[in-house]
Amino acid sequence: MTAPPDGFKPAKFSSGFLDLSGPYFLRSQDQGTIVAMRILETHANYLGVAHGGVLSTFADVALSFQVHDSERPALSVVTNTLTTNFLAGAKTGDWLEAHCRIDRLGKRIAYASGEIRRGDEVILTMSGIFTILRQT
């Protein structure tokens, strides 16, 4: 596997599913954290193109991480709604970056949106609504 670009570190997500669906990488920036991944053969269908479920999972991981990482201590979140719009495919070997933003963060609900890019090309737009499981 090719090393990630400079500045990206392996994500240390705790879920076994996330270990299987990744690996994912993180890079902090002023506007939040970029979540990234490289499309591997295990992510691709018989045509060598990333399965839509892989990209949808990546969208969910990236959006929910942005909400999770928005406060200290980190927030526990679950997905209520996830909307993805596929604009182009991704092939084995492609490096993808998810750029996300929090549109609204309340006490119990968060709204986030963003896009997945291959270089400068947007291949997927996404939005989600998340329940925040705050400790009371």
Side-chain angles (χ1 to χ4, degrees):
M1 180 171 74
T2 306
D6 288 342
F8 282 93
K9 306 250 187 266
K12 294 183 173 132
F13 299 141
S14 60
S15 167
F17 174 74
L18 296 181
D19 290 338
L20 293 173
S21 64
Y24 300 101
F25 300 87
L26 304 174
R27 184 177 79 197
S28 295
Q29 62 176 16
D30 291 339
Q31 301 83 14
T33 301
I34 296 173
V35 181
M37 71 180 299
R38 185 168 310 281
I39 299 300
L40 306 175
E41 287 183 18
T42 55
H43 299 133
N45 62 21
Y46 68 97
L47 297 172
V49 175
H51 191 283
V54 169
L55 297 178
S56 294
T57 297
F58 182 32
D60 189 35
V61 167
L63 290 169
S64 62
F65 181 79
Q66 195 75 16
V67 176
H68 164 80
D69 201 44
S70 67
E71 290 186 10
R72 293 292 174 263
L75 299 173
S76 296
V77 301
V78 293
T79 306
N80 290 346
T81 302
L82 177 67
T83 302
T84 55
N85 301 293
F86 298 92
L87 307 176
K91 298 180 193 105
T92 302
D94 284 350
W95 178 257
L96 304 180
E97 295 181 5
H99 296 259
C100 304
R101 64 195 155 276
I102 297 172
D103 300 315
R104 182 165 185 238
L105 181 66
K107 289 184 180 182
R108 295 179 23 184
I109 299 288
Y111 299 82
S113 58
E115 56 196 31
I116 295 175
R117 302 177 190 164
R118 176 181 49 225
D120 292 332
E121 180 186 13
V122 175
I123 68 162
L124 185 144
T125 61
M126 57 200 177
S127 63
I129 303 171
F130 302 88
T131 295
I132 301 168
L133 305 173
R134 292 187 188 271
Q135 301 298 321
T136 57

